[in-house]
Amino acid sequence: MRDLIDIWVGTQTWIFETLVSPLMFHFGLMAWYEPGYNAVEYVMLGVIQILVIAVGMRFFERRWPLERPSGDDRLVGVDRVYTLLNKLGIVPLAIFVVTYPIVTHIELQIRTWGYAPPSLERLLPWLGDSALASFLVYFALYDFAAYWLHRAQHAFPWWWALHSLHHSQRRMTVWTDDRNHVVDDLLITLALVLFAQVVGVQPGDYVIILMVGRLIESWSHANVDVSFGRLGSRLLVGPRFHRLHHALSNPQERHIQDHNFAPVFPIWDILFGTAIYDDRNRPTGVDDPTVDADNGRGWLAQQATVFWRFARALVPRFRRATAL
Amino acid sequence: MKKLAIATVALVAAATGIARADSVLVLNSDEASYSVLSRSSRTEIARHPVGREPHHLIVTPDGKEVLIGSTVTNELLGLDIKTGERRRIVKDIIDPYHLGFSPDGKWFVTAAYRLDHVDIFHADGFRLAGRIFIDGLPSHMAFDKDSKTVFVTLQQSGRLAAFDLQTQALKWSMPVGNAPAGVIMLPDDKRLLVALTGEDGIVIVDPRSGALQGNLQTGKGAHNFWPKGDGRHYFLSNRVEGTVVLLDTEQMKVVASVRIPGGPDCMDITLDGKELWVTQRFLRRVAVIDIEQMKMVASIPVGKSPHGVFMLRPGPTAGQGPLRAVSTSGETR
């Protein structure tokens, strides 16, 4: 294990000290020295994720597809762009620049009041002896927050206006997970980072939670006819479980998308009565022509049109203007 | 056989949670833990949880405890200086990034790096005397000999600030260069050395006025000091350059240098004065330097982002009286 860590941090350090550190030094960015080093790890993890998706998960999609090839396959291309922009840190960097002052301001305000995040290891001392147990507890807490944020994305019309871009894909694949509007990404990031700070998730754990969580989410969007089994599908979100959440609504199932919200652990859907387990294969997408029109557009066009959709949902004056 | 001995030591230490004078503490700032290393076997023998984001540590004026500052959980963890055994937790010390006791042991000062303030406490009972909010990431500190003034580097605003300990008032704040970090007072009490992490060396500052008296090129990302113990030579880590250099402060020049990859940061010297231990922040290791040869002889794996490092010791040394304040910027030993 230590050999693997040495290879990983050795590579990260080499990249940082050879390419990034001299630039940061030259441009007077030394106050960001540690975040700069962490950013290198983020990009490295992104490359690993892309490889796992492109090689590992795609193998399963080709070998055991749920939906057969069709004319909609061309719609997948833009999702690959989303994945690259996210996993290689381009969108996250932009989000970091925007959210950092906000997060910092809130964090400093809270801490100035004397608030210190709880240490679960102090409440449950045995957690301190097991890095894995500690990681899983924080992961579960993080996923719990993500579950409720996801419900909020569907509950508020203005947020749905953004999130509907993610659901508009008619050809759901391993690449679909990152298909989100940047404002949607920004809001989710802001909420989850603040939650992680309040709960006391370690910076090191946070990166791993993010990576493992996003990989599981990529897998849950896969176009594969593979099941974790009766027990497994209740422990971890899989493709069948999450595909139902993306199902196109129909007269018999008007609110089918208001189920199976959990990103990683289905326990939240089971506990809060939003879980549906069945093996029916439903088409995916959104039963709304304006949202369905996202299909066929490129990244920039999607970002622009969805932002306008968001603005209209947010500001009543824009809605009236559109109605006229 | 050697492995068996190491394993036995590790097992005993882990089971009891107690270290010994042969042990070295390393704060894993990104893992909320500290590692206990065996100096003789050069292995990690235990890892214990501690608050959140521990960065620096300090010996109490009576020399009986070492205090670890846990920045996010706003507390100090006190460990027995001989055994490493947990003694107490001091609460409500807000964002204790860097810590120091004045040489007379009456004042305890913290630099709240994230929260932009300097707190001055009465060391007896850790009673807050004054909190001074000051922009620019308060980073490291040093004291004058008569315990009247504390000097704090402001990493973001590029300044060095001096505060009166008795009145907690700002005496002066002067620009010194890009991203100042480590600062020490030389034994003559007339020169402060400030390491400039955003530049390639150090500056010499007049402690009375903050005026710059000179500078010295040492390497890119000059960061932190540690005294060799003879009152004349000081080690300095250069984080970007990836070196530790030895400064002769009488001639004011670099007299030796050793390459230490992975962002070398805090240091401590073994009690026999033969080895310098340096945290390698990025590589998750601690380097061991043979001081006589100025050569890296070992690099020991620890946790993520190791920062402060400290040698446990058999208590105040006989004949020298109680240990005076020791901080990670190493003003006195």
Side-chain angles (χ1 to χ4, degrees), chain A residues 6 34 107 111 138 202, chain B residues 52 71 75 114 239 285:
Chain A
D6 279 346
E34 307 297 331
E107 183 204 346
R111 292 194 57 193
Y138 282 112
Q202 280 295 295
Chain B
R52 283 283 184 277
T71 58
E75 63 193 14
R114 290 279 290 145
R239 293 202 66 191
R285 285 173 171 270

Side-chain angles (χ1 to χ4, degrees), chain B residues 299-315:
Chain B
S299 179
I300 306 160
V302 288
K304 197 169 183 186
S305 197
H307 200 168
V309 53
F310 178 77
M311 309 279 161
L312 291 184
R313 55 202 70 196

Side-chain angles (χ1 to χ4, degrees), chain A residues 72-145:
Chain A
D72 280 348
D73 285 354
R74 64 192 166 79
L75 303 178
V76 176
V78 70
D79 291 2
R80 292 195 191 99
V81 175
Y82 277 99
T83 303
L84 290 178
L85 289 175
N86 273 279
K87 304 286 194 241
L88 296 181
I90 296 159
V91 168
L93 181 64
I95 288 173
F96 175 80
V97 170
V98 175
T99 57
Y100 183 79
I102 303 169
V103 171
T104 303
H105 181 78
I106 295 171
E107 183 204 346
L108 298 193
Q109 190 58 58
I110 291 172
R111 292 194 57 193
T112 302
W113 293 334
Y115 175 81
S119 172
L120 289 178
E121 289 82 355
R122 197 162 292 161
L123 295 172
L124 309 166
W126 54 270
L127 275 183
D129 299 329
S130 169
L132 180 64
S134 170
F135 172 78
L136 287 175
V137 168
Y138 282 112
F139 197 175
L141 284 171
Y142 182 87
D143 196 55
F144 176 72

Side-chain angles (χ1 to χ4, degrees), chain A residues 5-190:
Chain A
I5 292 173
D6 279 346
I7 291 170
W8 181 260
V9 297
T11 308
Q12 185 185 355
T13 302
W14 183 84
I15 293 171
F16 181 72
E17 292 190 335
T18 309
L19 304 173
V20 183
S21 168
L23 285 175
M24 296 186 78
F25 183 78
H26 179 77
F27 288 108
L29 298 171
M30 293 306 286
W32 302 92
Y33 204 52
E34 307 297 331
Y37 179 72
N38 293 334
V40 171
E41 183 175 39
Y42 188 93
V43 174
M44 286 169 62
L45 289 170
V47 171
I48 299 280
Q49 288 177 79
I50 290 169
L51 287 173
V52 170
I53 293 169
V55 179
M57 295 184 189
R58 282 290 297 135
F59 168 78
F60 283 89
E61 281 193 331
R62 280 193 291 266
R63 184 72 179 81
W64 294 284
L66 190 70
E67 290 182 324
R68 296 289 160 187
S70 74
D72 280 348
D73 285 354
R74 64 192 166 79
L75 303 178
V76 176
V78 70
D79 291 2
R80 292 195 191 99
V81 175
Y82 277 99
T83 303
L84 290 178
L85 289 175
N86 273 279
K87 304 286 194 241
L88 296 181
I90 296 159
V91 168
L93 181 64
I95 288 173
F96 175 80
V97 170
V98 175
T99 57
Y100 183 79
I102 303 169
V103 171
T104 303
H105 181 78
I106 295 171
E107 183 204 346
L108 298 193
Q109 190 58 58
I110 291 172
R111 292 194 57 193
T112 302
W113 293 334
Y115 175 81
S119 172
L120 289 178
E121 289 82 355
R122 197 162 292 161
L123 295 172
L124 309 166
W126 54 270
L127 275 183
D129 299 329
S130 169
L132 180 64
S134 170
F135 172 78
L136 287 175
V137 168
Y138 282 112
F139 197 175
L141 284 171
Y142 182 87
D143 196 55
F144 176 72
Y147 167 82
W148 284 103
L149 284 169
H150 193 181
R151 289 191 68 163
Q153 285 175 308
H154 284 253
F156 296 106
W158 59 268
W159 209 342
W160 169 250
L162 292 169
H163 185 58
S164 55
L165 168 64
H166 178 71
H167 279 264
S168 63
Q169 177 59 275
R170 292 198 301 262
R171 191 66 175 170
M172 203 169 95
T173 69
V174 284
W175 304 104
T176 307
D177 179 47
D178 286 303
R179 176 194 173 103
N180 295 297
H181 195 274
V182 288
V183 177
D184 198 10
D185 276 337
L186 189 148
L187 292 172
I188 292 290
T189 303
L190 191 60

Side-chain angles (χ1 to χ4, degrees), chain B residues 176-304:
Chain B
V176 289
N178 196 355
V183 51
I184 52 162
M185 175 69 85
L186 293 181
D188 62 12
D189 213 30
K190 290 177 181 167
R191 291 174 296 167
L192 286 160
L193 302 186
V194 180
L196 301 175
T197 307
E199 299 185 20
D200 61 357
I202 63 170
V203 286
I204 303 144
V205 178
D206 181 347
R208 289 163 300 183
S209 63
L212 294 183
Q213 295 179 330
N215 60 59
L216 177 68
Q217 196 171 20
T218 60
K220 288 179 182 172
H223 189 70
N224 210 354
F225 299 94
W226 194 258
K228 190 174 180 225
D230 58 5
R232 173 175 171 172
H233 294 92
Y234 290 80
F235 295 100
L236 170 70
S237 56
N238 297 310
R239 293 202 66 191
V240 180
E241 193 83 26
T243 57
V244 168
V245 297
L246 183 62
L247 304 176
D248 180 336
T249 58
E250 273 185 19
Q251 298 184 41
M252 205 45 81
K253 68 176 188 181
V254 174
V255 292
S257 174
V258 55
R259 166 103 178 113
I260 304 291
D265 200 318
C266 285
M267 298 165 273
D268 195 6
I269 278 187
T270 51
L271 302 184
D272 59 12
K274 290 181 178 171
E275 292 174 352
L276 180 75
W277 288 46
V278 188
T279 48
Q280 297 170 280
R281 293 286 293 273
F282 301 141
L283 286 176
R284 307 184 193 184
R285 285 173 171 270
V286 180
V288 180
I289 298 170
D290 180 309
I291 291 174
E292 196 178 315
Q293 299 181 54
M294 273 304 269
K295 183 181 169 188
M296 186 168 86
V297 292
S299 179
I300 306 160
V302 288
K304 197 169 183 186

